[in-house]
Amino acid sequence: MRCAVLVNGVPASGKSTVAAQLLAQLLEAGLAPVPLALDTVKEGLFAHVGTGDREHNRMLGRASYHAIFNSIAAFPDTLVPVIDAWHGFQPADVLREHIARAAIDQVVEVWVAVTPEVAAARYRARSEHRHGGHLPASYANELFDLAAMARPMAFGPVIKIDGDAPVPANLGSQVIAAMRVGGHDV
């Protein structure tokens, strides 16, 4: 049985920080988590395909997302993919199709929630240090509205955490418990 962990939340919610600490906790618990981050793949594409307008950025995001799930399809079931992405950037059916193609039997979602104000401020602050292919600081205004209405995908158990607080020291334990509830042998 293949299980995947979706670390989900709007851009600038703190997903990458949460994913890094979750990976360490899962490793410490004896699991074999594999980090997969949309931005990591996308920035590799920027380097070779180039950057462009917003539609080009979105196309590279869709291609990166597809590549992540293609990779998971080749994983042995003993690996636990931890996918750091804003999973709501596409229709839910797209994620369902990727999950099915990757033969993922169970999804545990870590929802990283932040207020619209925090998301927008973080996005503005980090935009000058990010790869030029990402959306500019002005995207923070749109992100403010997005953060107000964003919700988890809820394709399986959802563990909600505050992206403006320290990562819970027991997050790995919560994920493992959710995997067991779903029938995943850990």
mmCIF file with all atom_site columns, all heavy atoms in Angstrom, residues 158-176:
data_model
loop_
_atom_site.group_PDB
_atom_site.id
_atom_site.type_symbol
_atom_site.label_atom_id
_atom_site.label_alt_id
_atom_site.label_comp_id
_atom_site.label_asym_id
_atom_site.label_entity_id
_atom_site.label_seq_id
_atom_site.pdbx_PDB_ins_code
_atom_site.Cartn_x
_atom_site.Cartn_y
_atom_site.Cartn_z
_atom_site.occupancy
_atom_site.B_iso_or_equiv
_atom_site.pdbx_formal_charge
_atom_site.auth_seq_id
_atom_site.auth_comp_id
_atom_site.auth_asym_id
_atom_site.auth_atom_id
_atom_site.pdbx_PDB_model_num
ATOM 1   N N   . VAL A 1 158 ? -6.774  14.960 7.401  1.00 0.00 ? 158 VAL A N   1
ATOM 2   C CA  . VAL A 1 158 ? -6.169  16.291 7.333  1.00 0.00 ? 158 VAL A CA  1
ATOM 3   C C   . VAL A 1 158 ? -5.678  16.670 8.720  1.00 0.00 ? 158 VAL A C   1
ATOM 4   O O   . VAL A 1 158 ? -6.435  16.618 9.691  1.00 0.00 ? 158 VAL A O   1
ATOM 5   C CB  . VAL A 1 158 ? -7.175  17.353 6.823  1.00 0.00 ? 158 VAL A CB  1
ATOM 6   C CG1 . VAL A 1 158 ? -6.536  18.742 6.832  1.00 0.00 ? 158 VAL A CG1 1
ATOM 7   C CG2 . VAL A 1 158 ? -7.683  16.994 5.432  1.00 0.00 ? 158 VAL A CG2 1
ATOM 8   N N   . ILE A 1 159 ? -4.423  17.042 8.793  1.00 0.00 ? 159 ILE A N   1
ATOM 9   C CA  . ILE A 1 159 ? -3.827  17.540 10.035 1.00 0.00 ? 159 ILE A CA  1
ATOM 10  C C   . ILE A 1 159 ? -3.594  19.027 9.809  1.00 0.00 ? 159 ILE A C   1
ATOM 11  O O   . ILE A 1 159 ? -2.795  19.421 8.960  1.00 0.00 ? 159 ILE A O   1
ATOM 12  C CB  . ILE A 1 159 ? -2.500  16.814 10.338 1.00 0.00 ? 159 ILE A CB  1
ATOM 13  C CG1 . ILE A 1 159 ? -2.755  15.310 10.501 1.00 0.00 ? 159 ILE A CG1 1
ATOM 14  C CG2 . ILE A 1 159 ? -1.833  17.420 11.576 1.00 0.00 ? 159 ILE A CG2 1
ATOM 15  C CD1 . ILE A 1 159 ? -1.503  14.465 10.425 1.00 0.00 ? 159 ILE A CD1 1
ATOM 16  N N   . LYS A 1 160 ? -4.321  19.846 10.548 1.00 0.00 ? 160 LYS A N   1
ATOM 17  C CA  . LYS A 1 160 ? -4.221  21.294 10.373 1.00 0.00 ? 160 LYS A CA  1
ATOM 18  C C   . LYS A 1 160 ? -3.213  21.859 11.358 1.00 0.00 ? 160 LYS A C   1
ATOM 19  O O   . LYS A 1 160 ? -3.271  21.554 12.551 1.00 0.00 ? 160 LYS A O   1
ATOM 20  C CB  . LYS A 1 160 ? -5.583  21.948 10.583 1.00 0.00 ? 160 LYS A CB  1
ATOM 21  C CG  . LYS A 1 160 ? -6.600  21.529 9.546  1.00 0.00 ? 160 LYS A CG  1
ATOM 22  C CD  . LYS A 1 160 ? -7.950  22.164 9.784  1.00 0.00 ? 160 LYS A CD  1
ATOM 23  C CE  . LYS A 1 160 ? -8.948  21.670 8.755  1.00 0.00 ? 160 LYS A CE  1
ATOM 24  N NZ  . LYS A 1 160 ? -10.276 22.236 8.937  1.00 0.00 ? 160 LYS A NZ  1
ATOM 25  N N   . ILE A 1 161 ? -2.294  22.683 10.825 1.00 0.00 ? 161 ILE A N   1
ATOM 26  C CA  . ILE A 1 161 ? -1.333  23.350 11.692 1.00 0.00 ? 161 ILE A CA  1
ATOM 27  C C   . ILE A 1 161 ? -1.281  24.839 11.350 1.00 0.00 ? 161 ILE A C   1
ATOM 28  O O   . ILE A 1 161 ? -1.657  25.251 10.259 1.00 0.00 ? 161 ILE A O   1
ATOM 29  C CB  . ILE A 1 161 ? 0.074   22.712 11.624 1.00 0.00 ? 161 ILE A CB  1
ATOM 30  C CG1 . ILE A 1 161 ? 0.691   22.856 10.252 1.00 0.00 ? 161 ILE A CG1 1
ATOM 31  C CG2 . ILE A 1 161 ? 0.027   21.250 12.041 1.00 0.00 ? 161 ILE A CG2 1
ATOM 32  C CD1 . ILE A 1 161 ? 2.164   22.471 10.223 1.00 0.00 ? 161 ILE A CD1 1
ATOM 33  N N   . ASP A 1 162 ? -0.803  25.611 12.292 1.00 0.00 ? 162 ASP A N   1
ATOM 34  C CA  . ASP A 1 162 ? -0.668  27.058 12.143 1.00 0.00 ? 162 ASP A CA  1
ATOM 35  C C   . ASP A 1 162 ? 0.691   27.355 11.525 1.00 0.00 ? 162 ASP A C   1
ATOM 36  O O   . ASP A 1 162 ? 1.727   27.092 12.132 1.00 0.00 ? 162 ASP A O   1
ATOM 37  C CB  . ASP A 1 162 ? -0.801  27.712 13.520 1.00 0.00 ? 162 ASP A CB  1
ATOM 38  C CG  . ASP A 1 162 ? -0.704  29.225 13.478 1.00 0.00 ? 162 ASP A CG  1
ATOM 39  O OD1 . ASP A 1 162 ? -0.386  29.807 12.420 1.00 0.00 ? 162 ASP A OD1 1
ATOM 40  O OD2 . ASP A 1 162 ? -0.938  29.848 14.541 1.00 0.00 ? 162 ASP A OD2 1
ATOM 41  N N   . GLY A 1 163 ? 0.695   27.888 10.312 1.00 0.00 ? 163 GLY A N   1
ATOM 42  C CA  . GLY A 1 163 ? 1.935   28.209 9.617  1.00 0.00 ? 163 GLY A CA  1
ATOM 43  C C   . GLY A 1 163 ? 2.674   29.393 10.196 1.00 0.00 ? 163 GLY A C   1
ATOM 44  O O   . GLY A 1 163 ? 3.782   29.705 9.767  1.00 0.00 ? 163 GLY A O   1
ATOM 45  N N   . ASP A 1 164 ? 2.077   30.057 11.160 1.00 0.00 ? 164 ASP A N   1
ATOM 46  C CA  . ASP A 1 164 ? 2.724   31.200 11.805 1.00 0.00 ? 164 ASP A CA  1
ATOM 47  C C   . ASP A 1 164 ? 3.224   30.836 13.199 1.00 0.00 ? 164 ASP A C   1
ATOM 48  O O   . ASP A 1 164 ? 3.612   31.696 13.972 1.00 0.00 ? 164 ASP A O   1
ATOM 49  C CB  . ASP A 1 164 ? 1.743   32.376 11.882 1.00 0.00 ? 164 ASP A CB  1
ATOM 50  C CG  . ASP A 1 164 ? 2.447   33.719 12.003 1.00 0.00 ? 164 ASP A CG  1
ATOM 51  O OD1 . ASP A 1 164 ? 3.620   33.826 11.578 1.00 0.00 ? 164 ASP A OD1 1
ATOM 52  O OD2 . ASP A 1 164 ? 1.823   34.673 12.526 1.00 0.00 ? 164 ASP A OD2 1
ATOM 53  N N   . ALA A 1 165 ? 3.209   29.544 13.523 1.00 0.00 ? 165 ALA A N   1
ATOM 54  C CA  . ALA A 1 165 ? 3.679   29.050 14.828 1.00 0.00 ? 165 ALA A CA  1
ATOM 55  C C   . ALA A 1 165 ? 4.782   28.023 14.573 1.00 0.00 ? 165 ALA A C   1
ATOM 56  O O   . ALA A 1 165 ? 4.933   27.535 13.451 1.00 0.00 ? 165 ALA A O   1
ATOM 57  C CB  . ALA A 1 165 ? 2.517   28.407 15.586 1.00 0.00 ? 165 ALA A CB  1
ATOM 58  N N   . PRO A 1 166 ? 5.546   27.676 15.596 1.00 0.00 ? 166 PRO A N   1
ATOM 59  C CA  . PRO A 1 166 ? 6.554   26.619 15.413 1.00 0.00 ? 166 PRO A CA  1
ATOM 60  C C   . PRO A 1 166 ? 5.892   25.314 14.962 1.00 0.00 ? 166 PRO A C   1
ATOM 61  O O   . PRO A 1 166 ? 4.754   25.028 15.328 1.00 0.00 ? 166 PRO A O   1
ATOM 62  C CB  . PRO A 1 166 ? 7.170   26.470 16.807 1.00 0.00 ? 166 PRO A CB  1
ATOM 63  C CG  . PRO A 1 166 ? 6.907   27.772 17.491 1.00 0.00 ? 166 PRO A CG  1
ATOM 64  C CD  . PRO A 1 166 ? 5.585   28.250 16.956 1.00 0.00 ? 166 PRO A CD  1
ATOM 65  N N   . VAL A 1 167 ? 6.639   24.548 14.162 1.00 0.00 ? 167 VAL A N   1
ATOM 66  C CA  . VAL A 1 167 ? 6.135   23.252 13.695 1.00 0.00 ? 167 VAL A CA  1
ATOM 67  C C   . VAL A 1 167 ? 5.983   22.350 14.914 1.00 0.00 ? 167 VAL A C   1
ATOM 68  O O   . VAL A 1 167 ? 6.909   22.230 15.721 1.00 0.00 ? 167 VAL A O   1
ATOM 69  C CB  . VAL A 1 167 ? 7.097   22.629 12.667 1.00 0.00 ? 167 VAL A CB  1
ATOM 70  C CG1 . VAL A 1 167 ? 6.636   21.238 12.256 1.00 0.00 ? 167 VAL A CG1 1
ATOM 71  C CG2 . VAL A 1 167 ? 7.238   23.535 11.450 1.00 0.00 ? 167 VAL A CG2 1
ATOM 72  N N   . PRO A 1 168 ? 4.830   21.719 15.083 1.00 0.00 ? 168 PRO A N   1
ATOM 73  C CA  . PRO A 1 168 ? 4.638   20.848 16.249 1.00 0.00 ? 168 PRO A CA  1
ATOM 74  C C   . PRO A 1 168 ? 5.694   19.742 16.315 1.00 0.00 ? 168 PRO A C   1
ATOM 75  O O   . PRO A 1 168 ? 5.990   19.097 15.303 1.00 0.00 ? 168 PRO A O   1
ATOM 76  C CB  . PRO A 1 168 ? 3.242   20.255 16.029 1.00 0.00 ? 168 PRO A CB  1
ATOM 77  C CG  . PRO A 1 168 ? 2.552   21.212 15.109 1.00 0.00 ? 168 PRO A CG  1
ATOM 78  C CD  . PRO A 1 168 ? 3.634   21.776 14.233 1.00 0.00 ? 168 PRO A CD  1
ATOM 79  N N   . ALA A 1 169 ? 6.242   19.532 17.481 1.00 0.00 ? 169 ALA A N   1
ATOM 80  C CA  . ALA A 1 169 ? 7.260   18.496 17.673 1.00 0.00 ? 169 ALA A CA  1
ATOM 81  C C   . ALA A 1 169 ? 6.701   17.102 17.449 1.00 0.00 ? 169 ALA A C   1
ATOM 82  O O   . ALA A 1 169 ? 7.455   16.168 17.202 1.00 0.00 ? 169 ALA A O   1
ATOM 83  C CB  . ALA A 1 169 ? 7.850   18.609 19.082 1.00 0.00 ? 169 ALA A CB  1
ATOM 84  N N   . ASN A 1 170 ? 5.387   16.966 17.515 1.00 0.00 ? 170 ASN A N   1
ATOM 85  C CA  . ASN A 1 170 ? 4.761   15.657 17.319 1.00 0.00 ? 170 ASN A CA  1
ATOM 86  C C   . ASN A 1 170 ? 4.070   15.531 15.960 1.00 0.00 ? 170 ASN A C   1
ATOM 87  O O   . ASN A 1 170 ? 3.250   14.627 15.763 1.00 0.00 ? 170 ASN A O   1
ATOM 88  C CB  . ASN A 1 170 ? 3.765   15.368 18.444 1.00 0.00 ? 170 ASN A CB  1
ATOM 89  C CG  . ASN A 1 170 ? 2.540   16.263 18.367 1.00 0.00 ? 170 ASN A CG  1
ATOM 90  O OD1 . ASN A 1 170 ? 2.554   17.320 17.721 1.00 0.00 ? 170 ASN A OD1 1
ATOM 91  N ND2 . ASN A 1 170 ? 1.472   15.848 19.022 1.00 0.00 ? 170 ASN A ND2 1
ATOM 92  N N   . LEU A 1 171 ? 4.398   16.388 15.010 1.00 0.00 ? 171 LEU A N   1
ATOM 93  C CA  . LEU A 1 171 ? 3.749   16.329 13.701 1.00 0.00 ? 171 LEU A CA  1
ATOM 94  C C   . LEU A 1 171 ? 3.996   14.981 13.039 1.00 0.00 ? 171 LEU A C   1
ATOM 95  O O   . LEU A 1 171 ? 3.074   14.382 12.480 1.00 0.00 ? 171 LEU A O   1
ATOM 96  C CB  . LEU A 1 171 ? 4.213   17.470 12.793 1.00 0.00 ? 171 LEU A CB  1
ATOM 97  C CG  . LEU A 1 171 ? 3.593   17.490 11.397 1.00 0.00 ? 171 LEU A CG  1
ATOM 98  C CD1 . LEU A 1 171 ? 2.066   17.588 11.469 1.00 0.00 ? 171 LEU A CD1 1
ATOM 99  C CD2 . LEU A 1 171 ? 4.166   18.660 10.588 1.00 0.00 ? 171 LEU A CD2 1
ATOM 100 N N   . GLY A 1 172 ? 5.218   14.474 13.094 1.00 0.00 ? 172 GLY A N   1
ATOM 101 C CA  . GLY A 1 172 ? 5.516   13.165 12.520 1.00 0.00 ? 172 GLY A CA  1
ATOM 102 C C   . GLY A 1 172 ? 4.654   12.078 13.127 1.00 0.00 ? 172 GLY A C   1
ATOM 103 O O   . GLY A 1 172 ? 4.117   11.211 12.416 1.00 0.00 ? 172 GLY A O   1
ATOM 104 N N   . SER A 1 173 ? 4.485   12.121 14.437 1.00 0.00 ? 173 SER A N   1
ATOM 105 C CA  . SER A 1 173 ? 3.633   11.136 15.121 1.00 0.00 ? 173 SER A CA  1
ATOM 106 C C   . SER A 1 173 ? 2.181   11.245 14.669 1.00 0.00 ? 173 SER A C   1
ATOM 107 O O   . SER A 1 173 ? 1.497   10.231 14.504 1.00 0.00 ? 173 SER A O   1
ATOM 108 C CB  . SER A 1 173 ? 3.696   11.335 16.639 1.00 0.00 ? 173 SER A CB  1
ATOM 109 O OG  . SER A 1 173 ? 5.005   11.192 17.098 1.00 0.00 ? 173 SER A OG  1
ATOM 110 N N   . GLN A 1 174 ? 1.719   12.465 14.477 1.00 0.00 ? 174 GLN A N   1
ATOM 111 C CA  . GLN A 1 174 ? 0.344   12.665 13.998 1.00 0.00 ? 174 GLN A CA  1
ATOM 112 C C   . GLN A 1 174 ? 0.169   12.089 12.592 1.00 0.00 ? 174 GLN A C   1
ATOM 113 O O   . GLN A 1 174 ? -0.848  11.450 12.304 1.00 0.00 ? 174 GLN A O   1
ATOM 114 C CB  . GLN A 1 174 ? -0.008  14.155 13.982 1.00 0.00 ? 174 GLN A CB  1
ATOM 115 C CG  . GLN A 1 174 ? -0.130  14.792 15.340 1.00 0.00 ? 174 GLN A CG  1
ATOM 116 C CD  . GLN A 1 174 ? -0.483  16.269 15.208 1.00 0.00 ? 174 GLN A CD  1
ATOM 117 O OE1 . GLN A 1 174 ? -1.507  16.610 14.630 1.00 0.00 ? 174 GLN A OE1 1
ATOM 118 N NE2 . GLN A 1 174 ? 0.374   17.139 15.719 1.00 0.00 ? 174 GLN A NE2 1
ATOM 119 N N   . VAL A 1 175 ? 1.154   12.308 11.740 1.00 0.00 ? 175 VAL A N   1
ATOM 120 C CA  . VAL A 1 175 ? 1.086   11.787 10.371 1.00 0.00 ? 175 VAL A CA  1
ATOM 121 C C   . VAL A 1 175 ? 1.096   10.260 10.392 1.00 0.00 ? 175 VAL A C   1
ATOM 122 O O   . VAL A 1 175 ? 0.297   9.608  9.716  1.00 0.00 ? 175 VAL A O   1
ATOM 123 C CB  . VAL A 1 175 ? 2.233   12.358 9.500  1.00 0.00 ? 175 VAL A CB  1
ATOM 124 C CG1 . VAL A 1 175 ? 2.366   11.604 8.187  1.00 0.00 ? 175 VAL A CG1 1
ATOM 125 C CG2 . VAL A 1 175 ? 2.012   13.848 9.244  1.00 0.00 ? 175 VAL A CG2 1
ATOM 126 N N   . ILE A 1 176 ? 1.983   9.687  11.190 1.00 0.00 ? 176 ILE A N   1
ATOM 127 C CA  . ILE A 1 176 ? 2.058   8.225  11.291 1.00 0.00 ? 176 ILE A CA  1
ATOM 128 C C   . ILE A 1 176 ? 0.743   7.658  11.819 1.00 0.00 ? 176 ILE A C   1
ATOM 129 O O   . ILE A 1 176 ? 0.242   6.654  11.299 1.00 0.00 ? 176 ILE A O   1
ATOM 130 C CB  . ILE A 1 176 ? 3.257   7.800  12.166 1.00 0.00 ? 176 ILE A CB  1
ATOM 131 C CG1 . ILE A 1 176 ? 4.567   8.117  11.415 1.00 0.00 ? 176 ILE A CG1 1
ATOM 132 C CG2 . ILE A 1 176 ? 3.181   6.319  12.541 1.00 0.00 ? 176 ILE A CG2 1
ATOM 133 C CD1 . ILE A 1 176 ? 5.812   8.011  12.273 1.00 0.00 ? 176 ILE A CD1 1
#
